[in-house]
Amino acid sequence: MSPPRAPLLPPNARTMPAASVAVEAESVFNPKGITPTAEQRAIQLARKPHIVIEANAGAAKTTTLALRLAQALLRGADPRRVRVLTYTPAAVQAFNDAMARIGLAAEVRRQVCVQTFDAFCAERLLAIEGAAVPMLDRAELLRPHVLAAIDRVLHNADERHPDEFTFDGRHEASVEGLLSEFLHLKGTMQWQAEAADRVLTPKLATDLGREYATLKIFHAYEHIRRGGHPDHPVFRAEHDATYDLARLLSDEDAWIGVGADGEHPLAMGLHLVLVDEMHDTNRAMFTVLREVMARNRAGFVGVGDRDQVIHALAGADARFMGEAFDREVTPATRMPLSTTWRFGQRLADAVGKLAQKPCMAQRPSGMADTEVELIRTTDPAELRFQVRRLITERIGLEAKAPLSAIAILLRQPHQSVALENLLLDHGIDHRTHGFLPYLQRPEVLFVRGLHACARNALGLIERTETREAVLRALLRFAGSHVDTGDLSPEQAEDTALLDKLEKQAIKAVCDDPTLAPDFLNNQVLRNAPDAVRPLLEDALDVIDSDDPDTWQRRFVRVLQPQRLAARMMVRQQDIGQVVGNLEGLIQSASGYDHLTSFFRAMNEREMRQHGMPKKHALLLSSIEAAKGLEFDHVILPGLNKGEFALGGHSVDNRNLLYVAMTRARRRLTILCDASRPSAYLRDAGLL
């Protein structure tokens, strides 16, 4: 017998009098603390079985979905037969908070199951597989398996296209990029949809818009992950449960006799399925959602903002809250949620023009409209001056406002180099989000290592961790290794032993920095591949000149970082970031009399950065990482033609700008080059 259900409302909650309900005479859930807009109330009271809410940024999407749930529970839906699905753990917490905020009773909230898609899929797979699969939830835990897949591909004697592999496979710098590619392949299920029965060739990879090496490594990695067994993987990473369940769902025979009494594991007797942040849905998630709706006589409500689709890296696609849902699940009623509470009408007008949709703002009484300003600069020096002015001006005007109320959002990580130096040199506390501080990026550590060893200046790097990192980066980018003496063939293949010997050699140099020049000559240069050694020697000649002008003119040309990066990395975008970071580093030497003083300043900056408090610091972030956050003042530099819209004018780039602009509450400042402003600024009515 089922346990008695808890009351839906807390003791102090009320229902709307029947006479005030225009839709029909029924009890209406009245939330605590807010007065729903007409749009919210219409969504709450609608009696349609399948609803997709088309929302704008800052329009209280999650709160509105919670209102809809509360009304369904008041109408008799069993909270134990409700599933709320979303993309991230943060979104799960946000929905739980929204239920509490509007006044749903605690006992009811405990009965409503709110999960990420991946957690839901892992739960369902457990019923199928009968045992939990180990979860590797950090990139460092996945790294050995990716490296093993690379090794398997590079040493395959039967490989027909070995010339497609330009990297040597000994480096870890390719791991992060490959994991990103794997995430996209799994989210889109592209291989299953477009090439499952075809033989992988370089031409097929090109037809799929992929690199041949990436696809070969992906297949090797998946073989390792599955341990040669298709039905019970050795491990899973984030989003793998969704992918694995979606693949199973494409095989009808896999479900015969599966589950208790032969029932389908997704036949759960659900009354209601809710999806928050529906714009983040990818093909794998949608495949699972489609089957859930097919196996349960459940109502459906999904909410999303198709202009916030920025998780394209994971295969997110707005079609799954649009025509794909109507075609593959059932035609849905679409309802608008256009009024934003986050910012004022001036910004709402701009983002509405950019996204080509209505956007209305509702501000609390007495709160000023959001200020939107466009500043045109003539050169990088003026850009830095304006950014500093904006920060110090705000600190001066609002002494009580913390720096954390300000965010500088960037399209590409390498844009942070000059800005980080600006903030460090003027003592402005900050933290980075979505990318490493530039001084910790491997290619920058590599160049710092070249200088430190060539000029016998390793001792000027104060932190032991940084000394170790620059020496390790030297070996990785040079394609070198530490001489390990007379090892037996078996020992030479022992990766753990080689790593141990390398760590010992690096520690010895860190403990006695005067050994750094010998380390450079006897380990890095002597053991570098023949194709790389001349590049390093020419780069060292430039460093030996100690002349910033020569450095700026010649260093990138002689070092050819793109060639070095291609030996370590698979994805072109990762290679491009290496070049961008080094170009930013080289440009930042302008104004120094000697390279030695520039690198000394870098070491001093690192120490300042390490000692900065993070709690109330300004945020320097990628746009993607800032999604879901909001700030009093958002600064967007680099809105230039050819700099913001990577790959050309596209929906993804437009969505990124939409997300960036809509993070602002009180003030949005956009900076662009006066000679080449982005066309998106004209689309938004700002030019």
Side-chain angles (χ1 to χ4, degrees):
M1 180 172 150
S2 298
R5 288 176 51 191
L8 172 65
L9 302 176
N12 61 346
R14 300 179 295 108
T15 57
M16 183 182 292
S20 68
V21 183
V23 179
E24 60 180 82
E26 70 165 327
S27 294
V28 175
F29 178 83
N30 257 2
K32 293 194 309 181
I34 65 167
T35 301
T37 65
E39 288 179 335
Q40 287 178 310
R41 190 65 91 187
I43 291 166
Q44 176 184 338
L45 298 178
R47 285 188 171 273
K48 301 292 184 181
H50 304 95
I51 298 174
V52 172
I53 303 167
E54 297 274 4
N56 287 340
K61 295 185 292 294
T62 303
T63 299
T64 304
L65 195 62
L67 278 173
R68 175 69 185 186
L69 168 62
Q71 189 63 34
L73 297 176
L74 197 61
R75 288 170 175 167
D78 185 342
R80 296 163 299 182
R81 294 181 180 270
V82 173
R83 284 296 168 114
V84 184
L85 302 174
T86 189
Y87 186 68
T88 63
V92 170
Q93 184 61 49
F95 192 86
N96 284 320
D97 292 344
M99 288 194 294
R101 191 167 54 247
I102 65 172
L104 270 175
E107 181 60 28
V108 173
R109 300 199 306 268
R110 283 192 287 270
Q111 294 182 59
V112 175
C113 187
V114 186
Q115 296 175 291
T116 64
F117 266 93
D118 209 46
F120 171 78
C121 293
E123 171 195 285
R124 296 295 90 200
L125 284 168
L126 180 60
I128 298 166
E129 297 167 344
V133 173
M135 179 71 176
L136 305 187
D137 57 357
R138 300 192 308 277
E140 55 265 32
L141 299 177
L142 299 170
R143 183 174 290 112
H145 302 294
V146 178
L147 293 174
I150 294 173
D151 186 69
R152 182 174 296 187
V153 168
L154 293 183
H155 293 90
N156 179 13
D158 297 325
E159 172 58 50
R160 296 185 177 183
H161 308 282
D163 293 342
E164 294 291 324
F165 308 133
T166 59
F167 60 102
D168 63 20
R170 288 183 296 167
H171 307 298
E172 300 183 358
S174 60
V175 171
E176 185 175 350
L178 284 168
L179 287 173
S180 295
E181 286 292 312
F182 298 170
L183 182 64
H184 189 263
L185 280 162
K186 294 177 181 182
T188 59
M189 300 188 72
Q190 184 185 25
W191 184 261
Q192 287 77 16
E194 302 178 36
D197 298 324
R198 301 171 65 182
V199 176
L200 176 57
T201 64
K203 182 181 183 307
L204 175 57
T206 300
D207 291 344
L208 296 175
R210 305 282 181 178
E211 293 167 351
Y212 178 72
T214 298
L215 290 176
K216 292 289 287 189
I217 296 167
F218 171 70
H219 289 304
Y221 172 81
E222 280 297 286
H223 189 270
I224 291 170
R225 185 174 75 84
R226 294 179 180 281
H229 192 284
D231 299 327
H232 198 278
V234 175
F235 66 88
R236 286 193 173 106
E238 190 178 19
H239 306 299
D240 278 344
T242 307
Y243 174 66
D244 290 344
L245 183 55
R247 289 181 75 244
L248 274 176
L249 290 170
S250 63
D251 182 2
E252 294 183 3
D253 293 339
W255 302 100
I256 298 175
V258 172
D261 301 324
E263 291 184 359
H264 196 289
L266 296 184
M268 303 163 63
L270 297 178
H271 289 173
L272 181 63
V273 176
L274 305 176
V275 175
D276 198 5
E277 303 288 345
M278 194 176 178
H279 52 264
D280 287 329
T281 306
N282 58 31
R283 169 52 70 180
M285 296 159 66
F286 186 72
T287 300
V288 174
L289 176 63
R290 183 183 61 200
E291 193 68 22
V292 168
M293 296 307 300
R295 299 286 174 175
N296 297 271
R297 298 181 62 183
F300 175 83
V301 185
V303 60
D305 180 356
R306 59 179 64 241
D307 295 299
Q308 290 197 60
V309 178
I310 63 170
H311 287 295
L313 179 66
D317 194 326
R319 290 179 301 170
F320 297 122
M321 59 179 287
E323 64 271 17
F325 188 92
D326 293 348
R327 183 178 64 253
E328 299 185 43
V329 179
T330 189
T333 299
R334 285 184 167 73
M335 304 186 72
L337 192 59
S338 57
T339 301
T340 181
W341 302 82
R342 180 180 298 154
F343 44 82
Q345 191 57 48
R346 188 176 179 193
L347 179 51
D349 288 340
V351 297
K353 289 177 182 177
L354 179 69
Q356 299 180 335
K357 66 180 182 182
C359 186
M360 301 299 295
Q362 184 164 319
R363 301 287 269 176
S365 177
M367 182 174 286
D369 197 359
T370 302
E371 181 182 353
V372 180
E373 59 184 336
L374 176 65
I375 299 175
R376 306 188 196 199
T377 59
T378 56
D379 56 41
E382 186 183 1
L383 171 65
R384 293 191 295 273
F385 168 80
Q386 292 290 355
V387 170
R388 182 190 173 198
R389 178 187 65 80
L390 289 165
I391 296 169
T392 54
E393 176 186 274
R394 178 172 180 80
I395 296 171
L397 289 175
E398 301 185 41
K400 294 183 180 179
L403 275 170
S404 55
I406 306 174
I408 302 176
L409 305 185
L410 303 177
R411 179 67 177 90
Q412 302 182 70
H414 70 75
Q415 293 172 316
S416 80
V417 176
L419 292 172
E420 287 186 62
N421 285 336
L422 171 74
L423 299 174
L424 287 166
D425 292 347
H426 289 89
I428 300 172
D429 294 339
H430 63 278
R431 62 187 178 91
T432 61
H433 186 41
F435 47 73
L436 286 170
Y438 89 92
L439 289 169
Q440 297 178 24
R441 295 172 194 168
E443 53 272 23
V444 175
L445 292 169
F446 164 64
V447 175
R448 292 177 70 186
L450 280 177
H451 179 271
C453 292
R455 306 287 293 183
N456 199 9
L458 186 64
L460 295 178
I461 299 176
E462 295 184 42
R463 299 182 67 237
T464 301
E465 298 90 335
T466 305
R467 292 182 189 178
E468 293 176 352
V470 298
L471 296 178
R472 196 172 296 111
L474 267 178
L475 293 171
R476 299 294 179 266
F477 270 86
S480 298
H481 59 276
V482 169
D483 277 336
T484 52
D486 297 325
L487 296 179
S488 68
E490 293 79 12
Q491 290 174 319
E493 296 295 326
D494 187 339
T495 303
L497 175 61
L498 296 178
D499 287 345
K500 179 181 178 181
L501 294 173
E502 180 181 290
K503 288 178 182 177
Q504 290 174 347
I506 288 175
K507 184 179 184 304
V509 180
C510 290
D511 292 343
D512 182 359
T514 62
L515 298 175
D518 291 336
F519 181 85
L520 175 66
N521 292 316
N522 298 330
Q523 307 292 358
V524 178
L525 291 176
R526 188 173 69 183
N527 297 325
D530 292 341
V532 173
R533 191 179 304 109
L535 306 181
L536 300 177
E537 290 170 343
D538 289 345
L540 289 167
D541 285 342
V542 173
I543 289 174
D544 194 51
S545 73
D546 205 28
D547 178 21
D549 291 336
T550 303
W551 158 270
Q552 290 185 316
R553 287 197 318 270
R554 297 190 57 219
F555 189 74
V556 167
R557 188 172 76 246
V558 302
L559 182 63
Q560 300 182 40
Q562 190 160 359
R563 281 183 60 188
L564 295 182
R567 297 178 61 85
M568 304 172 60
M569 300 169 178
V570 178
R571 299 194 310 169
Q572 289 300 316
Q573 64 195 77
D574 296 329
I575 296 170
Q577 281 300 319
V578 167
V579 176
N581 283 322
L582 290 186
E583 288 177 344
L585 174 69
I586 290 164
Q587 291 166 9
S588 66
S590 178
Y592 287 87
D593 293 333
H594 304 283
L595 277 184
T596 299
S597 58
F598 169 63
F599 279 97
R600 183 179 293 113
M602 289 181 66
N603 297 332
E604 293 168 353
R605 285 168 177 160
E606 181 195 2
M607 295 308 296
R608 284 199 294 274
Q609 190 170 61
H610 184 67
M612 284 188 311
K614 303 294 190 245
K615 186 174 182 181
H616 297 296
L618 176 148
L619 185 70
L620 195 62
S621 173
S622 67
I623 296 172
E624 293 91 337
K627 184 173 180 285
L629 305 177
E630 55 185 70
F631 308 89
D632 283 350
H633 189 185
V634 169
I635 301 171
L636 297 178
L639 263 292
N640 306 319
K641 187 178 296 182
E643 185 176 347
F644 186 89
L646 300 179
H649 214 59
S650 70
V651 172
D652 287 345
N653 286 318
R654 182 184 296 271
N655 289 351
L656 279 167
L657 181 55
Y658 174 92
V659 167
M661 293 173 67
T662 57
R663 300 309 95 198
R665 285 191 293 251
R666 297 185 179 183
R667 187 178 183 185
L668 171 68
T669 304
I670 295 175
L671 299 107
C672 69
D673 188 320
S675 64
R676 52 187 184 99
S678 169
Y680 291 130
L681 298 176
R682 186 171 291 105
D683 295 343
L686 298 177
L687 284 178

